[in-house]
Amino acid sequence: MKDRIETLKGYLKRLGNGEPLEAVRKDFVEVFKDVDPAEIMKAEQEMLAEGTPLSDVQKLCDVHAALFHGKTREEQIANAERAVHASTLREERETKTRELAQIKGHPLWLFANENGALAMLLEQAEEKIKDGSANKKTLESLRGISIHYAKKGDLLYPVLNVRYGISGPASMMVGLHADLSDSAFVKKPFDRVSRTDSRGRFTIRGIAPGKYHIFGLMDGNQNYLYDSKTEMIAFCDSIIIPSMEAAVRQDTLWKDTATIDTIKTVGYTRFLPDNIVLRAFKGINNRQYLSKSERDKENHFILSFSAPADTLPVLKGLNFDEKDAFIIETTPRNDSICYWIKDSLVYQMDTLEVQLDYLYTDTLNRLVPKTDTIYLANKLTREQREKLQKKANEEKEKERKKREKKGDTIRVEPTKFLTMNVDAPSAFDIYRNIYLSFEEPVASIDTAAIHMEVKVDSVWQPAPFFFMADSLMPRQYQILADWQPEQEYQLTIDSLAFIGIYGLHTDKVQQTVKVKKMDEYGTILLNIKGAAPHAVAELLDANGNVLRQQPVTEEGTADFYFLNPSTKYYIRLFNDHNNNGVWDTGDYDKKIQPEEVFYFPKVWEMKANFEFEENWDVNAIPIDKQKLDEIKKQKPEETKKVQDRNKERARKLGR
């Protein structure tokens, strides 16, 4: 395998020496008549990693394509069949792929259906181009192709990297532009490229003297330029001027593990700059379009849009009356809207036909009115629902007859209540609230039916509290109180306190909680140096999830109290330049970098009644070395892999 890849690289050298392309093509076809595509992919990866110019790699693509030029469709099919059956393993994978593609909702099922739809769009576009009827609308209909392949890149490339060690597009491409204009990144392929390794490091070799702009690109569609907001990017504000200088380093030879034999001074060439740090980000996609319409349950449907909006879409029912038909739930960004259907006669319909008027971003990046007709099908048809109901009635009748034979003729049907989930653990944390959540929207609330009591000398006494709707989570409410440590509280909610939109009401609920002691918690106190005037410290768990946020004070402090013991905590900080309390991404068009993020290179194994006070200079350690490996989503290569690679390089050099 390795020899074949080296041979592939040899063809590139021949091209670089000026040998005619056709002569190289001829040799390539003779030697690699049955070449596995994986070999070509591996060779391309290695050449890019070694700093091979992009133009040479593109020539290899031409040679690769020559394998198929001039062949009939029958020959292509025959070659494909031979390639599929060449390996038992490959055949098994193909079979498994076909099976997964038949599972509704699986990513392969989605891709297969999208491929079919895109093929039809392309055929229609070709026909319109041939007969001269193609227009702007024809081109707009093809825009989904780039979205489709960006989606594939986001889902498939990380799997290839993690499971099979194929870096490919899963790693960040780093490239140079000698053209210093801002438009080069979006209009021209890179002059020279490399890829990051598992630690995010990169090296670009063979650079001619000059001035360059440097960029990072997660190239989803593989065209070597930034042309989609879905692609992750990075850019450097300053111009890069490659240089070199003579330098020395000291190599230590050891007699044994404890005794130094010789310290040698070794000269080497140091290539500069060698300290470039690029901060990758995915820009805000402001292109507005309807990304998904889904009726996951019969009584509601969800419309998802690609970007936030200032206004809600306007709905018109084509086979039902839309006036006062919905309870509408929105996210703060209005990019996901849930419509609860109030009328049972409407939501029992097999398909709802809806005319949707909303703002859409056209090819000129303008928000223009757009009208779509969507069809929201019930997962179960009326016939299927009636069949299930009939089966349920039959089961009830069988049960009734069994009871009748035993002489048990009286049975009261249980009352159906509105489901209410009460999140109030018996061992209650002093810093948290009680949460009430519902499976459907609430039509009315009787706050007088909600009672909070505290136990004082074994006697329950009324305790003040606040009741409020959650600003972020629809159908969720909070109960807040001034919880005191070691105190016992009792929450009582009378029946009929909450009534849902379909007429169901809640049952009576009574739940007791006891607030934990103060000495059951730990504390982390931070003295921070080097942060921006507005900064936010975040407490993370072992999965990198944010548990709490704390603004850094003017004195440079941020404190986290009431931390549970036997828990690992990590800390991150971002400079909140616009003082909005959230981390903001970058914008290449406006030349805005993402807000800086720093990690405290330490993990705290919290203990009860422990207090940790830490001094943290956010710039003391290079930013690329701060984040601990255990909370990185992409783990670095194991040491053994690095050692094996170095051994292979030494073997090639004859050492």
Side-chain angles (χ1 to χ4, degrees):
M1 175 74 172
K2 193 67 180 177
D3 293 339
R4 290 163 65 91
I5 292 173
E6 291 298 322
T7 305
L8 285 174
K9 295 180 185 178
Y11 291 123
L12 285 181
K13 293 179 182 179
R14 290 168 57 185
L15 290 169
N17 292 331
E19 190 169 340
L21 180 61
E22 291 302 320
V24 181
R25 278 200 182 106
K26 182 179 178 181
D27 293 345
F28 180 92
V29 173
E30 290 178 357
V31 177
F32 291 96
K33 187 176 181 180
D34 298 316
V35 66
D36 193 300
E39 294 177 305
I40 299 175
M41 177 189 67
K42 182 69 174 175
E44 291 175 349
Q45 286 186 354
E46 288 192 8
M47 287 181 290
L48 290 172
E50 294 172 358
T52 303
L54 178 61
S55 59
D56 287 354
V57 178
Q58 291 172 331
K59 288 179 181 178
L60 175 63
C61 294
D62 292 338
V63 178
H64 180 195
L67 291 171
F68 308 101
H69 288 334
K71 299 183 182 291
T72 65
R73 178 177 175 83
E74 288 76 13
E75 288 173 330
Q76 292 180 26
I77 294 173
N79 289 336
E81 289 177 345
R82 283 195 295 271
V84 170
H85 297 295
S87 161
T88 303
L89 180 60
R90 184 177 300 177
E91 186 177 358
E92 290 175 353
R93 288 176 178 174
E94 290 287 334
T95 303
K96 183 65 173 177
T97 300
R98 287 192 292 270
E99 291 175 355
L100 294 174
Q102 299 301 315
I103 301 174
K104 191 174 181 180
H106 193 278
L108 292 180
W109 173 87
L110 175 65
F111 290 152
N113 282 273
E114 287 183 347
N115 286 339
L118 292 175
M120 291 179 61
L121 281 176
L122 290 171
E123 290 178 5
Q124 293 169 3
E126 286 180 357
E127 291 176 1
K128 290 182 178 181
I129 292 171
K130 288 179 181 178
D131 61 25
S133 62
N135 52 26
K136 184 188 294 185
K137 191 174 180 181
T138 306
L139 297 177
E140 286 182 355
S141 67
L142 301 178
R143 192 168 59 84
I145 295 175
S146 62
I147 298 171
H148 170 69
Y149 282 100
K151 190 190 302 177
K152 279 189 173 182
D154 291 341
L155 293 175
L156 298 180
Y157 293 145
V159 175
L160 290 173
N161 189 34
V162 174
R163 293 188 179 179
Y164 306 106
I166 298 172
S167 60
S171 58
M172 179 74 73
M173 180 186 296
V174 182
L176 295 175
H177 274 300
D179 185 345
L180 302 182
S181 63
D182 293 339
S183 62
F185 188 32
V186 298
K187 291 184 177 181
K188 296 181 178 180
F190 291 127
D191 296 329
R192 297 197 66 85
V193 296
S194 179
R195 287 196 180 274
T196 60
D197 61 14
S198 61
R199 293 184 179 273
R201 299 172 298 194
F202 63 91
T203 301
I204 305 177
R205 297 180 174 86
I207 305 171
K211 298 180 178 180
Y212 298 90
H213 275 160
I214 188 168
F215 302 91
L217 176 63
M218 190 72 79
D219 195 13
N221 55 6
Q222 293 286 277
N223 63 352
Y224 300 93
L225 53 87
Y226 176 48
D227 61 350
S228 173
K229 293 291 187 180
T230 63
E231 296 175 331
M232 184 173 287
I233 65 167
F235 67 95
C236 186
D237 297 313
S238 57
I239 294 174
I240 303 299
I241 303 176
S243 63
M244 65 183 87
E245 63 180 21
V248 295
R249 66 169 185 265
Q250 291 183 329
D251 288 351
T252 303
L253 302 179
W254 297 81
K255 289 183 178 179
D256 50 46
T257 56
T259 308
I260 296 175
D261 183 14
T262 308
I263 298 178
K264 298 175 62 178
T265 300
V266 180
Y268 72 99
T269 301
R270 182 181 179 186
F271 295 95
L272 299 171
D274 58 0
N275 60 348
I276 300 172
V277 176
L278 300 175
R279 291 185 284 125
F281 66 93
K282 185 178 287 187
I284 299 174
N285 181 18
N286 293 318
R287 296 191 65 83
Q288 182 70 273
Y289 57 89
L290 178 66
S291 58
K292 184 171 69 173
S293 58
E294 181 183 22
R295 189 179 176 186
D296 57 341
K297 292 185 179 179
E298 65 177 5
N299 60 349
H300 75 263
F301 59 89
I302 299 172
L303 302 179
S304 299
F305 293 87
S306 61
D310 297 328
T311 59
L312 295 178
V314 178
L315 273 65
K316 180 182 179 181
L318 300 180
N319 62 346
F320 67 97
D321 186 2
E322 80 283 354
K323 294 179 181 177
D324 198 32
F326 308 115
I327 298 289
I328 302 175
E329 293 177 350
T330 68
T331 61
R333 292 158 47 94
N334 286 337
D335 55 352
S336 181
I337 310 165
C338 182
Y339 295 84
W340 289 85
I341 308 168
K342 296 193 287 186
D343 192 340
S344 61
L345 294 177
V346 176
Y347 69 65
Q348 287 177 3
M349 297 172 63
D350 287 344
T351 302
L352 301 177
E353 299 179 22
V354 179
Q355 177 181 301
L356 184 65
D357 296 305
Y358 63 100
L359 292 177
Y360 169 86
T361 306
D362 64 8
T363 54
L364 299 177
N365 210 33
R366 301 174 303 183
L367 276 177
V368 297
K370 183 178 177 65
T371 300
D372 280 337
T373 301
I374 57 176
Y375 301 89
L376 301 161
N378 206 329
K379 284 189 174 182
L380 297 176
T381 65
R382 184 184 294 273
E383 184 181 351
Q384 290 171 323
R385 296 196 301 272
E386 289 176 351
K387 192 178 289 184
L388 289 173
Q389 185 61 49
K390 183 180 178 182
K391 186 177 180 180
N393 292 337
E394 289 174 353
E395 292 293 332
K396 284 184 179 180
E397 182 64 18
K398 287 181 182 178
E399 183 66 25
R400 187 192 65 79
K401 288 181 179 180
K402 286 182 181 179
R403 293 197 310 273
E404 197 174 63
K405 287 181 180 180
K406 295 178 181 180
D408 181 12
T409 58
I410 301 175
R411 187 186 180 190
V412 179
E413 290 290 331
T415 304
K416 190 175 182 181
F417 293 102
L418 174 65
T419 302
M420 177 177 64
N421 299 310
V422 182
D423 183 8
S426 57
F428 199 74
D429 286 308
I430 193 170
Y431 58 84
R432 63 162 295 163
N433 303 323
I434 294 176
Y435 296 92
L436 310 178
S437 57
F438 301 85
E439 294 181 350
E440 65 186 52
V442 176
S444 65
I445 302 173
D446 182 8
T447 55
I450 305 173
H451 314 278
M452 182 66 69
E453 295 174 303
V454 60
K455 184 179 281 189
V456 181
D457 297 330
S458 72
V459 178
W460 291 106
Q461 297 182 2
F465 67 94
F466 296 96
F467 177 84
M468 59 184 292
D470 195 304
S471 60
L472 299 177
M473 299 291 292
R475 306 186 308 280
Q476 181 167 285
Y477 302 85
Q478 299 184 39
I479 295 176
L480 301 76
D482 184 18
W483 314 112
Q484 296 299 313
E486 301 183 60
Q487 290 286 347
E488 196 171 355
Y489 294 83
Q490 182 172 269
L491 172 67
T492 303
I493 302 177
D494 301 334
S495 61
L496 296 172
F498 299 87
I499 300 176
I501 61 172
Y502 302 117
L504 297 178
H505 63 82
T506 52
D507 195 7
K508 183 177 180 178
V509 172
Q510 191 172 75
Q511 197 156 335
T512 303
V513 301
K514 186 171 183 180
V515 182
K516 295 180 180 178
K517 301 177 182 178
M518 292 295 289
D519 59 9
E520 293 185 50
Y521 297 103
T523 303
I524 298 177
L525 308 175
L526 297 175
N527 301 309
I528 300 170
K529 180 183 177 183
H534 301 289
V536 177
E538 296 179 317
L539 192 71
L540 312 178
D541 63 13
N543 295 318
N545 301 314
V546 179
L547 302 175
R548 299 189 214 168
Q549 282 189 339
Q550 188 68 32
V552 180
T553 66
E554 293 181 1
E555 293 75 24
T557 62
D559 304 330
F560 295 97
Y561 300 95
F562 310 123
L563 304 181
N564 287 304
S566 303
T567 304
K568 288 185 177 181
Y569 292 102
Y570 306 81
I571 290 178
R572 172 175 75 195
L573 179 145
F574 66 88
N575 286 331
D576 189 16
H577 293 296
N578 57 1
N579 198 23
N580 65 347
V582 297
W583 177 84
D584 292 294
T585 188
D587 189 328
Y588 178 71
D589 297 333
K590 298 178 180 179
K591 300 299 176 292
I592 299 174
Q593 293 282 0
E595 292 179 334
E596 301 92 344
V597 179
F598 306 90
Y599 286 84
F600 200 135
K602 178 179 176 179
V603 57
W604 287 269
E605 185 82 42
M606 190 52 59
K607 298 179 181 179
N609 208 27
F610 265 56
E611 181 178 284
F612 297 93
E613 185 172 3
E614 303 280 357
N615 296 317
W616 182 19
D617 184 350
V618 298
N619 299 307
I621 298 175
I623 195 168
D624 59 310
K625 294 179 172 62
Q626 293 181 1
K627 191 174 183 180
L628 299 176
D629 289 345
E630 53 199 91
I631 57 172
K632 289 181 179 178
K633 292 183 178 179
Q634 182 176 340
K635 306 297 182 185
E637 292 180 340
E638 294 83 5
T639 304
K640 187 175 183 305
K641 287 185 178 181
V642 177
Q643 292 173 345
D644 290 344
R645 187 169 65 243
N646 292 337
K647 287 179 182 178
E648 178 64 20
R649 289 174 178 171
R651 186 189 63 79
K652 289 181 182 179
L653 295 171
R655 297 185 178 182

